[in-house]
């Protein structure tokens, strides 16, 4: 298995570290991530959904996990939330072509609605999020963005700690903890939360406003 070190423990260890390659760039990490069994989520998901985009991007966006469509296609942010995010980025003046987009968790976690025969998103646990964090930190190291935008609570906790709260921590650029190269981070809501909102127009306007703050900071 690519990159797996001798003595690596099984999936019950909840740690992706043994599956990371010891060398190589994003392509090598993407190939290795396809075989990751660092937590039990790999068992039900179609496959690993790694990040995509410019390897030298100035801006990295981090979401929660793949959705149903992303899991089936193997590509991050191609479902309804991804389409809404693309629209919001355009309105905020951020060029999507130059971005790197990924998720804190690389496998789709879901329950099955037997009545409608649909897979329904289920939020990953903190344990599952932390298990997948080595992939996220590797992406940050390899892309080395100037600015990071975290979308929603799961991404925020993965990067900023378990005390992160979207409602109180959103919309304000700040130094990325643990990084000394001046990288800034800004948190906002996940576009899927906008789609679920009872007042979708207001929620969408808030997302665009936060993204405009990021654009101005750049």
């Amino acid at each position: 298995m690519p990159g797996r070190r001798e003595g690596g423990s099984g999936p019950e260890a909840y740690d992706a570290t043994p599956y990371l390659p010891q060398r190589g760039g994003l392509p090598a990490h993407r190939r290795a991530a396809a075989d990751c069994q660092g937590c039990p989520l790999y068992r039900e998901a179609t496959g690993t959904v790694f990040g995509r985009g410019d390897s030298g991007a100035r801006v990295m966006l981090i979401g929660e996990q793949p959705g149903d469509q992303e899991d089936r296609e193997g590509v991050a942010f191609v479902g309804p939330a991804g389409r809404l995010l693309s629209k919001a980025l355009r309105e905020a003046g951020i060029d999507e072509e130059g971005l790197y987009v990924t998720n804190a968790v690389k496998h789709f976690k879901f329950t099955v609605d037997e009545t409608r025969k649909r897979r329904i998103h289920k939020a990953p646990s903190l344990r599952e999020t932390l298990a997948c964090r080595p992939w996220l930190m590797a992406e940050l190291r390899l892309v080395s963005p100037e600015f990071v935008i975290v979308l929603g609570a799961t991404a925020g906790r993965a990067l900023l700690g378990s005390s992160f709260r979207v409602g109180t921590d959103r919309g304000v650029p700040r130094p990325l903890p643990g990084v000394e190269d001046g990288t800034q981070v800004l948190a906002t809501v996940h576009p899927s939360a906008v789609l679920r909102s009872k007042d979708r127009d207001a929620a969408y306007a808030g997302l665009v406003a936060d993204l405009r703050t990021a654009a101005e900071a750049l």
Side-chain angles (χ1 to χ4, degrees), residues 123-135:
S125 68
L126 181 59
R127 190 181 185 193
E128 291 157 347
T129 302
L130 294 178
C132 208
R133 192 172 185 269
W135 292 117

Side-chain angles (χ1 to χ4, degrees), residues 170-181:
R170 66 180 292 183
V172 180
R174 67 195 70 193
L176 182 63
V179 177
E180 298 180 358
D181 61 2

Side-chain angles (χ1 to χ4, degrees), residues 132-142 158-159 177 179:
C132 208
R133 192 172 185 269
W135 292 117
L136 179 61
M137 300 312 293
E139 289 174 295
L140 279 166
R141 175 177 58 82
L142 292 166
L159 201 59
V179 177

Side-chain angles (χ1 to χ4, degrees), residues 78-171:
V78 294
R83 291 190 289 273
L84 185 140
L85 177 62
S86 293
K87 178 184 176 185
L89 287 167
R90 288 194 299 272
E91 289 192 27
I94 297 176
D95 181 9
E96 193 172 4
E97 291 299 317
L99 302 180
Y100 185 88
V101 296
T102 191
N103 284 297
V105 174
K106 311 303 188 195
H107 286 112
F108 180 36
K109 182 177 182 179
F110 59 91
T111 59
V112 177
D113 182 335
E114 295 293 351
T115 302
R116 298 184 180 181
K117 302 299 180 183
R118 293 174 55 196
R119 301 189 301 174
I120 307 299
H121 161 275
K122 184 176 181 181
S125 68
L126 181 59
R127 190 181 185 193
E128 291 157 347
T129 302
L130 294 178
C132 208
R133 192 172 185 269
W135 292 117
L136 179 61
M137 300 312 293
E139 289 174 295
L140 279 166
R141 175 177 58 82
L142 292 166
V143 177
S144 189
E146 296 176 25
F147 206 96
V148 177
I149 301 172
V150 293
L151 305 168
T154 296
R157 290 169 189 158
L159 201 59
L160 303 172
S162 59
S163 64
F164 171 84
R165 297 292 182 272
V166 177
T168 55
D169 297 331
R170 66 180 292 183

Side-chain angles (χ1 to χ4, degrees), residues 22-38:
Q22 297 182 34
R23 63 182 67 86
L26 286 170
H29 282 70
R30 184 176 290 106
R31 289 192 296 270
D35 294 320
C36 185
Q37 298 178 14

Side-chain angles (χ1 to χ4, degrees), residues 2-6 18-24 29 141:
R4 187 165 185 178
R5 296 193 289 271
E6 291 299 320
Y19 298 88
L20 268 69
Q22 297 182 34
R23 63 182 67 86
H29 282 70
R141 175 177 58 82

